[in-house]
Amino acid sequence: MVTASKNETAPAIAANAAPATTPEAPVVPVDVSAIPETPAELLRQWDTPRRPLARGVLSATLVRAWNLLAGPSMTQRDRLNREIAEAKGFTNGYMKLA
């Protein structure tokens, strides 16, 4: 009894197969006259006049007013404590050094 494995017959079948021919793709003309020559020209074409949104203007005004009323967010002592803590290696947060 003679048996042949699949690996032995595969190269023989592949060698007898004729090479497949591929049809050539048709050439399509492309108009490149509208493409800008420089990136600056492209950015100039994309630039549109922008107005700030009303919600952003209103919220920014409220934040500025709150900052004026509330005063500075850190005192000079708080800033000094932060600098000391950062110098000692506490970069993620600092402890009050009273």
Side-chain angles (χ1 to χ4, degrees), residues 3-13:
T3 59
S5 68
K6 292 181 182 180
N7 294 336
E8 293 175 2
T9 59
I13 295 172

Side-chain angles (χ1 to χ4, degrees), residues 15-79:
N16 294 335
T21 59
T22 58
E24 293 185 23
V27 178
V28 179
V30 177
D31 182 23
V32 293
S33 63
I35 298 175
E37 294 183 11
T38 61
E41 187 178 341
L42 178 65
L43 291 175
R44 204 174 317 114
Q45 289 178 2
W46 284 352
D47 191 24
T48 58
R50 298 180 181 162
R51 293 184 347 201
L53 298 175
R55 187 184 311 170
V57 171
L58 179 63
S59 63
T61 304
L62 289 174
V63 167
R64 285 190 203 111
W66 179 259
N67 285 340
L68 286 174
L69 293 174
S73 59
M74 294 178 74
T75 63
Q76 186 63 31
R77 183 173 179 168
D78 289 338
R79 288 188 190 95

